Amino acid sequence: MSENPNLSGPIGVFDSGFGGLTILDGIRRKMPQYDYIYLGDNARAPYGTRSFDIVYEFTLQAVQKLFSLGCPLVILGCNTASAKALRSIQQKYLPVAAPTRRVLGVIRPTAEVVGTLSRTRHIGVLATEGTIKSESYKLEIQKLYPGTTVVGQACPMWVPLVENNEFASAGADYFVRDSIEKLLAQDSLIDTIILGCTHYPLLLPKIEKYCPPHIKLVPQGRYIAESLEDYLHRHTEMDQRITRGATCQYYTTESRTKFRESAAIFLHEDVEVERITL
Ligand code: DGL
């Protein structure tokens, strides 16, 4: 495929489902001037328990779709996709198939920030099973901040609680408390916890309830937005390729009705959405 290096278009934000809307929201608050396309692979979510190969295959299809919709830059707003697919896409796919386009993830920007927040240099990660098993946060943080201890705890029930609109229910308390206790039991010196999954900001009131007050909680939206802004300042050739119409289009692989209902919970606004296949 030969590419037009001046092709301009929106920033693509991809997630396995609705969770990436918390990332999109953070980015749009900071940089409302750009055009955006959000793509949720809701029909095949969750990705958190899927194998490396499958997450790569699905994520690549989504990136290709966002490229075909004109995006010169795609953010993998999903931690699981960032952990399992980003590296291969950056190193194997892009150089051959789309050398002028860029795909960025959410793990490195988060790792950069937590190292500056922790005083004890003991960091906890709450995330999906896939993200924890990949050890991506641990590897990335220890590369940037050698000598830091990083422990992780998978929270397999948290995404379903959010997806099923149960995140504020009394039943959610049990699962939130259980995962936090398991994380803290692994290392009593933890002073900073990464909420390493796009859905977890919706559980924040309950997470705060069960975390000791001296622990800093790090939801990602704000930091990903700061990191992207910094990236675009450093890469003016990419910045010039992003169109500035302050619009956002939404695409889902599942039902439009379900997407509209959930998007209203995540974004506090009604959105129009189109259904597509990958
Ligand atoms: N968006 C995913 C993440 O941030 C969580 C949902 C899923 O398992 O697909 O890891």
Side-chain angles (χ1 to χ4, degrees):
M1 191 191 350
S2 89
E3 283 211 310
N4 171 5
N6 299 317
L7 170 138
S8 61
I11 296 176
V13 178
F14 166 67
D15 184 45
S16 55
F18 301 112
L21 292 170
T22 61
I23 304 288
L24 175 75
D25 193 41
I27 295 174
R28 285 191 77 203
R29 277 174 199 277
K30 191 143 192 67
M31 291 166 283
Q33 70 274 25
Y34 296 126
D35 291 316
Y36 295 90
I37 293 181
Y38 183 86
L39 169 57
D41 189 9
N42 300 83
R44 302 188 293 192
Y47 281 13
T49 46
R50 292 189 188 273
S51 68
F52 264 87
D53 288 352
I54 294 294
V55 173
Y56 176 69
E57 189 183 312
F58 289 0
T59 305
L60 183 59
Q61 289 168 353
V63 166
Q64 287 169 329
K65 177 61 79 176
L66 286 163
F67 284 174
S68 76
L69 292 167
C71 300
L73 174 65
V74 170
I75 312 297
L76 300 185
C78 176
N79 286 268
T80 311
S82 298
K84 293 185 163 186
L86 179 64
R87 218 177 138 87
S88 300
I89 289 175
Q90 285 177 334
Q91 294 181 356
K92 292 191 199 140
Y93 176 74
L94 289 183
V96 179
T100 74
R101 312 220 202 187
R102 292 292 171 266
V103 179
L104 306 174
V106 290
I107 291 182
R108 187 171 171 106
T110 312
E112 282 170 2
V113 166
V114 285
T116 64
L117 297 177
S118 172
R119 283 166 192 264
T120 61
R121 291 284 162 111
H122 286 251
I123 293 169
V125 184
L126 296 167
T128 65
E129 195 185 312
T131 301
I132 296 298
K133 277 200 183 141
S134 75
E135 301 216 311
S136 299
Y137 272 108
K138 186 174 177 166
L139 295 169
E140 207 61 62
I141 293 168
Q142 290 180 339
K143 210 190 304 166
L144 295 166
Y145 304 97
T148 304
T149 302
V150 183
V151 294
Q153 177 64 41
C155 312
M157 287 304 293
W158 290 19
V159 168
L161 284 169
V162 174
E163 292 274 333
N164 291 297
N165 208 358
E166 289 288 330
F167 55 89
S169 71
D173 282 64
Y174 170 80
F175 294 104
V176 170
R177 185 180 184 167
D178 183 55
S179 297
I180 290 172
E181 282 178 359
K182 283 181 180 152
L183 177 72
L184 297 178
Q186 293 183 58
D187 181 352
S188 60
L189 294 176
I190 290 172
D191 71 344
T192 308
I193 295 180
I194 298 173
L195 304 185
C197 172
T198 49
H199 288 59
Y200 297 177
L202 278 92
L203 289 162
L204 197 55
K206 292 204 190 295
I207 299 171
E208 282 169 341
K209 186 166 150 191
Y210 295 112
C211 258
H214 71 278
I215 293 185
K216 289 185 211 81
L217 296 169
V218 184
Q220 296 177 297
R222 188 184 123 198
Y223 299 113
I224 303 306
E226 283 171 8
S227 165
L228 178 59
E229 185 175 55
D230 178 56
Y231 175 87
L232 292 169
H233 277 148
R234 286 184 289 111
H235 296 84
T236 48
E237 76 294 347
M238 179 55 80
D239 184 53
Q240 283 158 14
R241 293 172 64 189
I242 310 297
T243 49
R244 289 157 164 82
T247 65
C248 188
Q249 292 164 265
Y250 296 88
Y251 294 90
T252 177
T253 55
E254 244 289 353
S255 115
R256 294 170 62 212
T257 314
K258 171 92 174 92
F259 189 94
R260 273 203 297 262
E261 281 167 15
S262 294
I265 296 168
F266 279 86
L267 297 174
H268 310 291
E269 66 173 292
D270 292 325
V271 300
E272 276 310 311
V273 58
E274 234 177 88
R275 182 164 174 240
I276 47 164
T277 46
L278 295 180

